[in-house]
Amino acid sequence: MADYQIRKYQNSDYEVARDIFVAGMNEYISAAFLHVTRQWWNLVVLLMVIFLLFLMSGSFFMATIGMVFALGGERLCFTYAWRRYIDQTLKADLQDIQRSYMEGDVSCFWVVECSGDIIGTVAARPAAETLYELELKRMSVRRAWRGRGIAKALCRTVIDFARQKGYKAVVLNVTFVQHEAQQLYEGLGFLKCQEYFAQTVFGKWSNFRVFKYRYSILGNS
C-alpha cells in the first residue's frame, strides 16, 4: 500500500476538500431514497396513483407505467432536496475552511495526502452544546482508498487532538444510512448516546434518523 500522511489543511486544498465531501454525501442518495419509498404514507400515495390511473385508463399496464413515472419524479425531487442540503453545507463551514477551522487553536481541519493527491478529510471544532466536548465533522475518504485504515487514522487524529486540548469527549453525528461509518466509530470505542430525527421539514417528513456518538477521553485513556 502506498504511504499516506495526515496533515493540516492548506488553502491549496480547498476545492479538493469540498469535492471529497460532495462525493461522499452523494453515495448515500440511493439508500436514503429507498428508505423514503418504504414509508407508509408513500406506499399509500403510490397505491392511490395506481388506482386512479387504472380507473381513468382501464388498463393495469398503463397504471403501472404511471407509477413508474411517479417514482421517477419522486426520485428527482428527493435528489434535488439532498443536493440542496449539500449546497447549504458548502455555504456554511466549508465556504471558508480556513476561517471555520484553522484560525484558532481549539479547532482544526486535516487532509490525507498520498503521492500528491488528497484522498480524505476530517475536521474538529468545539461542540455547540458544551465547552467540554469536541465535535468530529466532515469525515470522508475517497472510495478507492477505503478499507486501508485511513478513516481510523483520521478518527484517532481527532481523538489525540481532543486529548491534547483537554476535552473530555469527542462527539459526532451520523445518519442511519451510513452503516460503515457506524461500525467504524463503534469499533473505535464511540458509544451511541442519542437518536433523533433530522431537524428539517424533510427529516421529520421522512423519519430520517440521526445518531449521536460519544467517545469518552477519560474512559478510554
Side-chain angles (χ1 to χ4, degrees), residues 42-71:
N42 189 71
L43 295 175
V44 170
V45 170
L46 289 177
L47 287 173
M48 290 178 61
V49 168
I50 293 174
F51 180 70
L52 291 173
L53 289 174
F54 178 75
L55 288 179
M56 290 187 294
S57 66
S59 168
F60 183 75
F61 175 75
M62 292 301 297
T64 303
I65 293 297
M67 183 192 69
V68 171
F69 276 101
L71 278 172

Side-chain angles (χ1 to χ4, degrees), residues 7 14 21 23 37-38 42 45 48-50 66 68 84 89 98 118 134 138 146-147 165 168 196 203 205 219:
R7 62 167 175 80
Y14 181 75
F21 166 76
T37 61
R38 291 173 174 172
N42 189 71
V45 170
M48 290 178 61
V49 168
I50 293 174
V68 171
R84 281 274 296 175
T89 304
Q98 181 70 31
I118 305 303
L134 184 73
R138 310 310 174 210
R146 294 176 191 168
K165 299 300 179 181
K168 293 183 178 180
Y196 59 93
W205 168 66

